[in-house]
Amino acid sequence: MRLVLGALMLAAVLAGPVPVLAQDPPGYARPFADTLETRVFPLFAMLHAAPGWTAALRADPQLARLASARAARIPPDACAPAPQCLADAWLWTTDDIAKVSERLRLIMRDRALADALVVRQMRPSGRFARHAALADADLLGAAWADAANGINRVIAIYAKGEPPRYPKIDAMIFDVARPEYPQLLAAHGTSIAALPPPDDTVFDPVQRYATGLLMINERADAGAFRPLLGGDNAATVRAIAGTDWRGERHSALLVFGHGPEDAQSRTGVMGHIRMRIAADLFARRLAPFIIVSGGNVHPNRTPFNEAVEMKRLLIEQHGVPADRILIEPHARHTTTNLRNTARLLLAAGFPADRPALVVSDHATIRYIGSAELSVRNLREMGLQPGTLAPGPDRFSLMFKPDPAAFHVEVADPLDP
């Protein structure tokens, strides 16, 4: 898989320069906005962006019938038992998923359409890297199955109240037993069903429904700080491009956040310790840049972002220049700290011929380098975001990112 994805990225680089404003593989220029919707469900954005696909989907008679049948399932107002019946009406059924898969494979027989979607969009985007070894039609089928199951998961958690993998920090914010909740869900579904844009395909209403669920649950984290290499990171990206890398042993120091459970604290105690270690190693010139990683995680629904707060403290308390710090403001777990910083290392212009250093307290370094985290990576993300090796001291590990890290995990909509 690495060889396939690497070859595609190299081909994209040779094809010409692209703007460095998105957290994308080198050489890939996404033809759609970088939003919550496109971050969580990139397949549907690509189906609209790839020439000919919207027309082909809308012209397919079986997909048109399926779209009508799905619209007819939406209750016009009340139903029972509520709220489950209101949410269940939007789910992709097993038969729906199989029918769509069959029709996509049929459309893929048109080589021009297949190339426009899979060859020019899906493969070079890296967003389906876990399926890169598959043939084109199979890759699209796997991506569709992921997307359908991801939407069903959003509905199960954020409409029906089923527990997510980490309920303490990721659960829905409503009490489904309260009498007013079905009214809210009915209002959401009715407005989505009644106001379709003219270019809608069979995929679009439920995508808007699922994205809206994330928004009304105040779980729109994945859409924040976009484009990631603009905004607060723009000056650092320029500094990276202007760096003379000769003599630099490592590309960057990677510092992972530690969220507090105290609602008044902006970062956890271990975060302060990790920042002190990183500032010391930065002063010793072990790397010319620091990447701080962490989202709005602890305590639940905190307004404070770990990466933003760590950057502020590294500047104010440790004297690190602002343009030497890159923020990765989305990760919610150690697994995604590694994956998301791997994406930044590959996307932001760091040299690929030297490792970064993961920097932390000694106990966390042992955990990050352990088989336990490696197994957790595979269980929760289905991939290893890079390779780890012992660092120069007990507070660091060398890390080389893998392009597989660009794979979008639709089942984790708060940080896909």
Side-chain angles (χ1 to χ4, degrees):
M1 178 169 67
R2 294 178 187 177
L3 291 176
V4 172
L5 186 60
L8 285 164
M9 289 182 182
L10 177 60
V13 171
L14 294 176
V18 297
V20 185
L21 283 177
Q23 193 183 8
D24 294 319
Y28 175 68
R30 56 178 173 77
F32 45 82
D34 198 6
T35 65
L36 173 64
E37 203 167 60
T38 64
R39 230 343 112 174
V40 180
F41 305 114
L43 175 62
F44 304 135
M46 291 180 189
L47 286 168
H48 275 291
W53 270 89
T54 299
L57 293 168
R58 288 175 59 81
D60 186 280
Q62 293 198 37
L63 290 180
R65 283 195 291 273
L66 177 60
S68 296
R70 286 181 55 80
R73 297 174 198 167
I74 309 305
D77 193 2
C79 64
Q84 288 80 8
C85 61
L86 296 164
D88 286 344
W90 290 91
L91 293 171
W92 289 105
T93 69
T94 301
D95 287 345
D96 291 346
I97 295 170
K99 175 56 68 177
V100 171
S101 183
E102 171 194 310
R103 304 313 292 175
L104 290 176
R105 284 184 177 276
L106 186 64
I107 296 171
M108 282 286 289
R109 293 179 184 175
D110 183 322
R111 192 64 246 176
L113 289 175
D115 286 350
L117 177 63
V118 180
V119 176
R120 298 194 188 99
Q121 287 296 324
M122 295 180 69
R123 290 193 184 277
S125 76
R127 285 162 169 79
F128 311 96
R130 205 166 62 209
H131 308 307
L134 299 177
D136 288 352
D138 294 330
L139 185 149
L140 176 56
W144 156 239
D146 286 349
N149 291 324
I151 280 179
N152 285 354
R153 180 173 172 80
V154 170
I155 293 170
I157 295 171
Y158 296 109
K160 301 173 68 175
E162 294 181 11
R165 181 185 289 131
Y166 295 100
K168 186 176 180 180
I169 56 173
D170 294 345
M172 76 179 303
I173 67 173
F174 301 105
D175 180 353
V176 299
R178 292 186 66 86
E180 64 269 23
Y181 179 66
Q183 299 172 20
L184 166 66
L185 207 56
H188 176 52
T190 300
S191 65
I192 294 294
L195 300 171
D199 63 343
D200 252 11
T201 70
V202 67
F203 305 111
D204 296 316
V206 69
Q207 178 191 216
R208 288 194 297 274
Y209 182 79
T211 305
L213 289 174
L214 294 173
M215 292 176 175
I216 64 178
N217 276 277
E218 299 180 2
R219 299 297 192 185
D221 305 54
F225 299 95
R226 305 293 181 185
L228 189 52
L229 296 187
D232 289 345
N233 280 334
T236 310
V237 171
R238 290 193 296 270
I240 294 166
T243 297
D244 181 354
W245 290 96
R246 292 174 295 180
E248 298 289 356
R249 290 170 287 172
H250 308 103
S251 56
L253 306 176
L254 313 181
V255 187
F256 302 161
H258 178 259
E261 291 304 334
D262 170 12
Q264 291 182 311
S265 298
R266 296 187 173 207
T267 191
V269 175
M270 295 303 294
H272 286 282
I273 295 170
R274 294 169 188 176
M275 283 185 283
R276 188 182 67 241
I277 295 169
D280 179 75
L281 297 181
F282 179 82
R284 297 186 192 190
R285 300 185 59 84
L286 263 72
F289 294 95
I290 297 175
I291 301 178
V292 287
S293 173
N296 296 62
V297 187
H298 294 280
N300 184 31
R301 299 173 68 200
T302 178
F304 301 122
N305 181 273
E306 292 175 9
V308 170
E309 295 305 322
M310 285 192 290
K311 178 174 181 176
R312 178 181 65 83
L313 292 170
L314 282 168
I315 295 167
E316 293 178 359
Q317 297 182 358
H318 299 281
V320 178
D323 68 352
R324 299 284 118 179
I325 306 170
L326 206 62
I327 64 167
E328 185 294 295
H330 297 108
R332 304 177 71 76
H333 312 285
T334 308
T335 52
T336 50
N337 286 133
L338 278 173
R339 184 200 64 190
N340 293 1
T341 53
R343 291 173 177 174
L344 274 179
L345 289 166
L346 293 165
F350 288 101
D353 61 351
R354 68 207 71 198
L357 283 181
V358 179
V359 174
S360 194
D361 57 280
H362 68 286
T364 301
I365 286 294
R366 282 200 303 268
Y367 172 66
I368 292 172
S370 69
E372 179 184 355
L373 183 61
S374 180
V375 169
R376 184 181 167 198
N377 287 338
L378 293 175
R379 182 176 67 248
E380 297 185 8
M381 301 187 297
L383 56 85
Q384 298 295 350
T387 55
L388 291 160
D393 54 43
R394 65 194 299 214
F395 303 109
S396 62
L397 288 165
M398 290 190 292
F399 179 65
K400 282 199 158 185
D402 191 301
F406 284 109
H407 181 87
V408 169
E409 184 50 71
V410 188
D412 188 9
L414 304 197
D415 178 27

